[in-house]
Amino acid sequence: MPGRYRCLVPLLAAAVCPHPPLIVPELAGAAAPELAELRDACAAAVAALYAAGAYTVVLVGAGERTTELALPRRGSFAPWGLPLTVGLATAGGDPVPPSGDSGDPVPPSGGVEPVSPPADDEPLPLSLLVGAWLVDRTAPPAPTAWRLVSVASDEPADRCAALGAGLRVDGPWALLVLGDGSACHGPKAPGYDDPRAGAYDEGVARALADADADALLGLDPELSAQLRVAGRPAWQVLAGAVRTAGGDWHGELRHHGVPYGVGYLVASWTRTDPTGPTGPTGPDGTPAGDTGTAAAGGVTR
C-alpha cells in the first residue's frame, strides 16, 4: 500500500545538467570547444551518481506531457541535424531493440498504475534525449537500471513536487535532472533580453549549491515561463524527491554559464547520511505515518 510505505527511501544522490543539443560535439562542430567545460562538468556529475552506489538512475526532464516512458527506448538527434541515435535499456548490458519497438508498459511501482508506452513515432523530448546521451557518454562501472520520466513544461509546482515525492524505486537510486536556465540573457538570446533573467538564474544557482529544496519549490511557474526556463519542472521534481527522502544533503555547483544567452547549470547533490534519519517524509516534509497517502508518481495526463 503506497500510504503505508515504511522502509527507507534510498535516494542517494542527484545530478542536475542542462540539455542543449550543442553539448554533443559532433553537432556543435567548430563551436564544440566552447562547451568543453560544460561537458566535463556534466560527466563529473553523472559519474558522482555511480560513485554514490545507485543501482537505478531516474532521468527527469521537461516534455510535452507528464508520463513515465517505457524502456527499452531509442532517440535521435536527427531533428537537430545529426543522425546520431542513443538508447537506454531497462538495465545495464541489456540490448536496446531497433527503433520502432516501444517495449512493454512500465510496471507499477509503489502503487502507481502502469503507464502505457507512447506511440512508436513519439520522439524522446530533448531533455531526456540529452540525458540518454550523457549516461551513454559516461557509462556506469556496473550494471545499472534506468527510468525515464517526462514532466509537462506547464506542470504546477505542487504537482512536480508530488511527482518527485511519489517516485518509488527498488534499491538505492539516484536522479539525473535535466533542465536549462533562462533563455533570456542578452539581446541575442533565444528568448530575447529580459533583465530579470540574471537574478532568476543566480537564485537557482544558490539553491543548487546549497541543496535548498525549498528554494527550488518556490520558483514561480509563470515567471519561469516568461523567462523561457526549461528546467523549472524537473528541478521541482528533484526538490519533492529530496524533501520526501529526508536526511542531510550537500550541494555542489559544478558549472554556471550563459553561452548563447541561455543559462546552463550543473550541480551535484549528495546525501551525507546515506541511511537516512528516521525514514521517509511526506510531500510537506513531515515524517510519513501509517495513514499518510503517498503522492502518485508517473501519472500521465
Side-chain angles (χ1 to χ4, degrees):
M1 295 286 293
R4 299 179 182 274
Y5 187 83
R6 295 293 295 166
C7 57
L8 297 178
V9 179
L11 175 61
L12 298 181
V16 174
C17 296
H19 51 71
L22 291 181
I23 199 171
V24 180
E26 297 90 337
L27 211 163
E34 298 177 12
L35 296 182
E37 183 179 333
L38 173 63
R39 290 187 201 95
D40 290 345
C42 289
V46 172
L49 301 181
Y50 309 145
Y55 296 172
T56 300
V57 176
V58 181
L59 283 68
V60 179
E64 292 185 0
R65 62 193 183 115
T66 298
T67 186
E68 179 162 355
L69 303 180
L71 293 176
R73 192 155 187 81
R74 286 183 181 273
S76 174
F77 285 94
W80 291 271
L82 179 68
L84 172 66
T85 299
V86 295
L88 286 179
T90 53
D94 290 348
V96 177
S99 298
D101 185 346
S102 60
D104 297 325
V106 176
S109 58
V112 179
E113 292 298 317
V115 178
S116 298
D120 289 350
D121 59 352
E122 182 177 345
L124 278 175
L126 175 62
S127 60
L128 297 180
L129 179 65
V130 170
W133 180 83
L134 287 173
V135 298
D136 180 71
R137 182 173 185 260
T138 307
T144 302
W146 313 99
R147 286 171 62 179
L148 294 173
V149 177
S150 168
V151 189
S153 58
D154 62 348
E155 198 71 80
D158 59 344
R159 290 273 298 170
C160 294
L163 176 59
L167 287 171
R168 297 291 180 260
V169 183
D170 291 333
W173 62 290
L175 277 167
L176 174 53
V177 179
L178 290 310
D180 295 348
S182 174
C184 297
H185 293 276
K188 296 184 178 180
Y192 304 104
D193 187 33
D194 191 312
R196 300 172 296 176
Y200 182 102
D201 278 2
E202 286 295 337
V204 173
R206 286 193 299 273
L208 294 176
D210 296 339
D212 189 343
D214 288 340
L216 293 182
L217 290 174
L219 295 174
D220 178 49
E222 183 176 354
L223 175 60
S224 301
Q226 293 171 1
L227 294 178
R228 301 277 298 274
V229 178
R232 191 274 308 172
W235 297 335
Q236 291 181 328
V237 171
L238 162 65
V242 166
R243 191 168 66 174
T244 297
D248 297 323
W249 290 79
H250 169 75
E252 177 185 357
L253 186 66
R254 295 181 180 270
H255 180 86
H256 180 198
V258 290
Y260 318 123
V262 182
Y264 297 151
L265 302 107
V266 181
S268 291
W269 286 16
T270 306
R271 195 176 192 130
T272 56
D273 58 335
T275 59
T278 59
T281 58
D284 61 353
T286 60
D290 287 338
T291 58
T293 299
V299 178
T300 300
R301 69 169 195 169

